[in-house]
């Protein structure tokens, strides 16, 4: 059975985890010219895209 030879330090583990990020949703321009977030309902036209 594979067992780590030595403990991974907190700093090394934190450096590895720095790449696990959630990207923020970027607003897109709707066909009527208004800006909206993707996968949300347009409040004025009740349209989902």
């Amino acid at each position: 059975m594979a067992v780590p030879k030595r403990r991974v330090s907190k700093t090394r583990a934190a450096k590895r985890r720095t790449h696990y990020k959630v990207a923020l949703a970027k607003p897109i321009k709707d066909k009527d010219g208004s800006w909206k977030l993707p996968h949300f309902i347009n409040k004025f036209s009740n349209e989902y895209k």
Side-chain angles (χ1 to χ4, degrees):
M1 190 169 164
V3 178
K5 195 158 196 164
R6 59 180 66 93
R7 183 172 184 255
V8 177
S9 69
K10 294 175 192 174
T11 306
R12 191 173 181 103
K15 284 180 185 176
R16 185 177 60 246
R17 292 188 192 113
T18 59
H19 305 290
Y20 301 155
K21 298 175 186 168
V22 175
L24 295 174
K26 295 180 181 163
I28 56 171
K29 203 166 212 175
D30 210 4
K31 60 185 170 188
D32 63 353
S34 62
W35 291 92
K36 70 176 195 85
L37 291 173
H39 304 287
F40 279 84
I41 294 176
N42 188 343
K43 293 178 184 176
F44 303 109
S45 64
N46 286 337
E47 188 176 290
Y48 176 79
K49 196 168 186 180

